[in-house]
Amino acid sequence: MKLIFLIFKYFFPIFFFASSCKNENKENDLIGSNFNFQVDSLIPYNNFEYQNSTGSLKILVFLKMDCPSCVEEIYKLNTLFQQKPFSTAQLYIVLSGQPSEYTYYHLIELNKFNFKILYDQNDYLIKSNSIGFIAFDKYLLLSPSDKILVIGSPFISQKKKRTYIRQLNR
């Protein structure tokens, strides 16, 4: 029993640290690379359209439709994107998974979001860009030419939020 405890005490933190570094290295490799963002390959879930969309930074958020907490995150995003400098970017919510009544009600019936909500039925964007490992960091900040500038949620830490703000203020 003591041996098992020692293994978990010393081996697990090393394994966890190594795996998180591996994902961070993958993320760092993606920063500056092109992201294949083709809106026409996705199904619009609401009728919101951006005005004067050229030259704007884009934030993509990948969420599962059958996840109530993911849908609730959209409300946090709605609040955040009414504040500067976040309001200067174009926010795209990219939904995947099976629609549910909960999702339909919050996204279609209420329809009070001022950003584009798209449905990626077959996970086209994730597959075509080989970014499956960012499942936990579902956010991407893209340049006007669709280069990846930031990977990760601005809600995760103040450091990540400052990184977004720095990029959005450029």
Side-chain angles (χ1 to χ4, degrees):
M1 184 71 172
K2 199 172 193 178
L3 178 64
I4 293 172
F5 174 75
L6 290 173
I7 289 172
F8 275 106
K9 182 178 178 183
Y10 295 107
F11 179 71
F12 185 72
I14 293 169
F15 175 76
F16 182 74
F17 179 75
S19 65
S20 66
C21 288
K22 191 175 179 183
N23 277 347
E24 192 173 314
N25 288 339
K26 286 182 184 179
E27 289 176 8
N28 290 337
D29 290 345
L30 285 175
I31 302 295
S33 65
N34 287 322
F35 186 84
N36 183 16
F37 183 52
Q38 296 180 7
V39 177
D40 55 342
S41 66
L42 308 173
I43 302 166
Y45 219 72
N46 64 350
N47 294 322
F48 183 78
E49 293 295 329
Y50 286 104
Q51 302 299 320
N52 303 323
S53 62
T54 57
S56 297
L57 295 174
K58 301 172 205 80
I59 297 179
L60 305 183
V61 181
F62 297 89
L63 298 172
K64 292 286 187 187
M65 292 180 82
D66 50 357
C67 168
S69 64
C70 295
V71 174
E72 292 299 320
E73 196 166 329
I74 295 173
Y75 287 96
K76 287 178 18 182
L77 287 165
N78 198 41
T79 302
L80 181 67
F81 276 83
Q82 292 173 6
Q83 305 166 15
K84 288 203 179 250
F86 289 92
S87 61
T88 62
Q90 297 175 20
L91 174 63
Y92 293 88
I93 304 294
V94 180
L95 300 169
S96 63
Q98 294 300 313
S100 66
E101 287 182 30
Y102 180 86
T103 307
Y104 185 82
Y105 174 75
H106 283 275
L107 300 182
I108 301 301
E109 293 293 320
L110 295 180
N111 198 16
K112 60 182 180 181
F113 302 110
N114 292 322
F115 42 77
K116 192 73 175 167
I117 300 174
L118 303 164
Y119 181 46
D120 189 355
Q121 187 173 7
N122 298 314
D123 293 328
Y124 170 78
L125 286 181
I126 290 174
K127 291 175 184 173
S128 67
N129 287 289
S130 301
I131 57 165
F133 73 91
I134 68 157
F136 296 107
D137 292 324
K138 310 169 264 215
Y139 294 71
L140 294 176
L141 175 62
L142 302 179
S143 72
S145 60
D146 293 340
K147 289 197 183 300
I148 298 174
L149 301 174
V150 180
I151 297 174
S153 169
F155 297 119
I156 242 166
S157 69
Q158 284 299 318
K159 181 180 177 185
K160 188 64 79 169
K161 188 173 184 177
R162 284 192 301 271
T163 302
Y164 270 86
I165 290 170
R166 191 171 44 255
Q167 290 289 341
L168 292 167
N169 282 330
R170 283 188 174 181

